[in-house]
Amino acid sequence: MSSTINNDLYLSSLQKRDTQSGGSSVLGKDDFLKILMTQLQNQDPASPMEDKEFISQMATFSSLEQLTNMNSSIDQLISKQSAQTFMLQSGMIGKSVSYTVETTNADGTQQERKTGTVKAVLFENDTSKFQLEDGTVIDQSSITKLENRNS
């Protein structure tokens, strides 16, 4: 059995390779598993890895895998919540809104209150915006009042 370790599996080599390929410089569970397998394959038979050390590394791997799965679940939850929010906001179409607009002139910054009727709801870059009948697009945070158009 050869006692040489492939240089590509060193931590520094993995980080350089990931950064050069445009990937993340963070090690994932697959990289951790490769390092662990290489370590097991190349250990000294006269002095094998201690049980405690092996259990510790397996616990670390298990934690890493659970964190990865949890991150994926949170991403899915955020995506579904954004879609639900977008659908709820579509109920604002046809409603009259009052909103504030900041304008800057020689006297400084002033806030002006305007009114309009929502024509469409836009969803761009994970943010909702409202297009009014006159073509103005406003951010949801600028809305100060919402009422039925018939009122």
Side-chain angles (χ1 to χ4, degrees):
M1 179 166 105
S2 174
S3 63
T4 60
I5 296 177
N6 184 349
N7 289 339
D8 291 341
L9 296 174
Y10 286 133
L11 179 61
S12 59
S13 298
L14 286 172
Q15 288 176 336
K16 286 178 190 172
R17 185 182 68 213
D18 286 346
T19 305
Q20 289 170 350
S21 65
S24 170
S25 64
V26 178
L27 291 174
K29 64 182 181 180
D30 293 336
D31 296 320
F32 182 83
L33 194 55
K34 284 180 187 175
I35 292 169
L36 181 62
M37 292 304 297
T38 303
Q39 184 179 8
L40 287 173
Q41 290 171 350
N42 294 295
Q43 67 182 338
D44 182 7
S47 175
M49 186 186 304
E50 298 270 334
D51 289 344
K52 292 177 189 175
E53 192 177 335
F54 182 72
I55 291 170
S56 171
Q57 289 183 350
M58 288 307 294
T60 302
F61 175 72
S62 178
S63 296
L64 176 63
E65 185 174 27
Q66 290 301 317
L67 285 171
T68 302
N69 294 341
M70 189 167 53
N71 187 38
S72 175
S73 296
I74 289 172
D75 287 344
Q76 288 175 357
L77 176 67
I78 289 170
S79 175
K80 289 179 181 179
Q81 187 177 19
S82 294
Q84 183 180 17
T85 301
F86 180 64
M87 295 309 289
L88 286 171
Q89 289 175 335
S90 68
M92 291 181 62
I93 296 174
K95 306 279 185 189
S96 177
V97 292
S98 296
Y99 60 98
T100 55
V101 178
E102 286 189 6
T103 55
T104 305
N105 56 24
D107 297 332
T109 303
Q110 297 177 346
Q111 288 191 343
E112 184 181 351
R113 188 175 213 181
K114 294 186 174 187
T115 325
T117 302
V118 177
K119 177 183 175 183
V121 180
L122 310 172
F123 191 70
E124 298 171 354
N125 301 327
D126 295 329
T127 340
S128 295
K129 296 189 183 263
F130 301 97
Q131 182 178 13
L132 305 180
E133 286 183 340
D134 66 358
T136 304
V137 176
I138 59 172
D139 189 65
Q140 63 185 9
S141 62
S142 66
I143 296 175
T144 58
K145 186 178 180 181
L146 173 68
E147 59 187 349
N148 282 329
R149 188 174 176 184
N150 299 337
S151 296

